[in-house]
Amino acid sequence: RGSRGTTAICMCLTSNSTVTTLNLSDNGLGAAGGVAVADMLKDNCYISELDLSFNKIGNTGVIALCQVLMENSTVTRCNLSNNELDNKCSENLADLLKSNFSLAHLDISHNKLEEEAGLFIGPSLGENEVLKSLNLSWNSITGKGAISIAQGIKNNTILRSLDLSFNGFGNEGAAAIGDALKSNSTLTFLYMKSNHIHVAGTVALGKGLEPNDTLQHLDLGCNPFEAVGAMNIFISLKKASNSALQVLDLKDVRVSVEMKKQMMEVKSSLSQLTVTHGDWAWEAAPSKPKPAPIVKLQTFLNTKGVKLVDLFKKFDVENNGIVETKEIHKTLKNMSLPLTNREISELVKSMDNTLAGTIEYQTYLDSLQTDTSHATDT
């Protein structure tokens, strides 16, 4: 473990002709250990798989490796994830992709590559003729760097798998990827999870899916475009008569009623397609209108076996069909009704058909009988 141990191992491997896989992951190599591995590879022509992940070899270590691998013709798989690589080594990584003719799988995920790195790596992808899988996830590639990566994919004719998850491609980067998919005929797996893609980005990305007939797996989960963005993808897929898409990952996108409709229409034409999504977000049913205060009063009186007309007659001391609103108001407030004070006031005000503080209750009761919305026993 550590650079000293690595140096000792590398000395033994220099002339070794039987070991083809070297896994030194998480061994604290540091920059010195990375350089030692690079020096060993100058003489070793048997190792085909190299895993140096989680070692903090940094720019110094990876630059030394890139310089050696540019001439190496046996290493086909290299894992350099979690090594604190940043923009300072991006030009060397780009030169490696342009010059190497054996490296088929490269993992440089979980590093600190940013927009500048994308500007270097993008053009090299367009020229590369051997790389089959590239993992750039968990970096910070944004803006023009993201667009440069997409343009490289547009010109690439060999790459099968590209992982761009957890970067910052955004809408512009998504649009550039969509444009690349229109002409790319080799990419089979594309991962763009958590890339700050909003609804506008899904429109352009979806357009790229319409003519594409090779992409089989598309991961767009954990992006903030929600159901509206997902529907943009489905609308495009309905036009993609030759689509080979088998898996569409929309993790965390909650499904609306309209989104489900679009999704089912797509799956009816693309029977091979499996869609992963978030919870069902059914639209709430319209809430029932609250009953009018008079309906609440009548319902309450019915439970007591009392008619509204009897309540009025109780206060009709002159037996002339007229009662004072203040008496009714006072009585209603003391009856423990399921009404707020405001509702009681509104109710009594609606009863005041004389506009003089009195109620001609038979006229009022007749008006209730003709109002179908209040058609109850009075």
Side-chain angles (χ1 to χ4, degrees):
R1 184 178 177 86
S3 59
R4 289 186 179 181
T6 305
T7 301
I9 292 173
C10 289
M11 289 177 64
C12 297
L13 290 173
T14 299
S15 57
N16 188 286
S17 60
T18 57
V19 175
T20 58
T21 299
L22 179 59
N23 187 343
L24 294 174
S25 176
D26 196 16
N27 268 288
L29 270 63
V35 171
V37 173
D39 288 340
M40 177 269 296
L41 290 174
K42 292 177 181 178
D43 298 313
N44 184 294
C45 57
Y46 295 95
I47 292 176
S48 60
E49 296 189 14
L50 180 64
D51 189 345
L52 300 179
S53 58
F54 293 93
N55 274 299
K56 297 184 179 180
I57 65 175
N59 295 325
T60 300
V62 79
I63 288 173
L65 282 166
C66 287
Q67 291 172 344
V68 173
L69 290 176
M70 286 171 62
E71 306 296 331
N72 183 285
S73 60
T74 55
V75 175
T76 59
R77 186 181 298 270
C78 183
N79 188 344
L80 297 173
S81 66
N82 285 277
N83 269 297
E84 300 185 352
L85 312 182
D86 61 31
N87 294 335
K88 293 178 182 178
C89 69
S90 55
E91 189 171 0
N92 301 89
L93 289 169
D95 289 341
L96 169 64
L97 292 177
K98 283 190 277 189
S99 304
N100 183 281
F101 294 99
S102 63
L103 189 62
H105 307 279
L106 177 62
D107 186 342
I108 46 178
S109 64
H110 291 266
N111 282 297
K112 302 176 182 178
L113 303 175
E114 300 174 335
E115 182 176 20
E116 182 182 342
L119 290 172
F120 280 107
I121 294 173
S124 66
L125 278 177
E127 297 180 31
N128 185 280
E129 297 180 353
V130 292
L131 197 66
K132 294 181 178 179
S133 71
L134 175 62
N135 190 343
L136 285 167
S137 65
W138 289 95
N139 280 287
S140 300
I141 301 174
T142 60
K144 293 180 180 179
I147 295 173
S148 177
I149 295 288
Q151 290 173 340
I153 297 305
K154 184 176 183 178
N155 298 322
N156 185 281
T157 58
I158 192 70
L159 195 68
R160 299 289 187 272
S161 177
L162 176 63
D163 194 341
L164 301 172
S165 303
F166 296 94
N167 277 281
F169 269 56
N171 292 338
E172 290 186 356
I177 289 291
D179 184 57
L181 290 176
K182 292 178 182 178
S183 56
N184 182 283
S185 60
T186 58
L187 199 63
T188 305
F189 297 88
L190 176 59
Y191 305 89
M192 295 192 70
K193 180 183 295 183
S194 191
N195 260 287
H196 307 294
I197 301 171
H198 292 259
V199 173
T202 61
V203 176
L205 186 58
K207 293 293 184 182
L209 295 174
E210 293 176 15
N212 186 282
D213 59 1
T214 54
L215 194 65
Q216 296 179 15
H217 186 120
L218 176 60
D219 187 346
L220 295 174
C222 303
N223 279 294
F225 51 68
E226 300 182 340
V228 177
M231 286 192 287
N232 288 334
I233 299 296
F234 289 134
I235 289 171
S236 290
L237 285 176
K238 286 194 289 185
K239 302 175 184 177
S241 57
N242 296 320
S243 176
L245 199 63
Q246 297 177 13
V247 176
L248 175 59
D249 193 335
L250 299 174
K251 184 180 180 182
D252 289 348
V253 177
R254 301 189 69 194
V255 182
S256 67
V257 173
E258 184 59 30
M259 175 180 162
K260 181 189 177 184
K261 178 183 176 182
Q262 297 283 355
M263 179 170 62
M264 298 310 293
E265 289 179 4
V266 170
K267 294 179 75 171
S268 66
S269 59
L270 300 178
S271 58
Q272 79 280 6
L273 181 63
T274 298
V275 180
T276 303
H277 50 71
D279 297 333
W280 298 92
W282 296 114
E283 293 150 4
S287 58
K288 294 181 179 179
K290 293 182 179 180
I294 183 59
V295 175
K296 291 184 178 181
L297 174 60
Q298 290 176 313
T299 301
F300 177 81
L301 294 176
N302 288 340
T303 63
K304 304 296 183 181
V306 178
K307 293 184 178 182
L308 182 56
V309 65
D310 297 328
L311 181 64
F312 284 125
K313 285 181 177 180
K314 180 179 178 180
F315 297 99
D316 185 7
V317 292
E318 296 184 8
N319 199 29
N320 62 356
I322 298 176
V323 296
E324 294 186 3
T325 54
K326 63 180 181 180
E327 291 295 333
I328 292 296
H329 191 280
K330 180 179 179 180
T331 300
L332 294 180
K333 288 190 67 174
N334 294 329
M335 288 178 62
S336 299
L337 294 169
L339 295 169
T340 65
N341 289 337
R342 181 176 179 177
E343 286 178 317
I344 291 174
S345 297
E346 291 177 354
L347 176 58
V348 174
K349 184 177 180 180
S350 69
M351 293 176 178
D352 185 3
N353 49 18
T354 67
L355 301 178
T358 58
I359 305 169
E360 293 181 357
Y361 60 84
Q362 191 55 56
T363 301
Y364 176 70
L365 293 174
D366 289 343
S367 70
L368 292 183
Q369 291 287 8
T370 58
D371 187 347
T372 56
S373 65
H374 295 155
T376 58
D377 187 8
T378 57

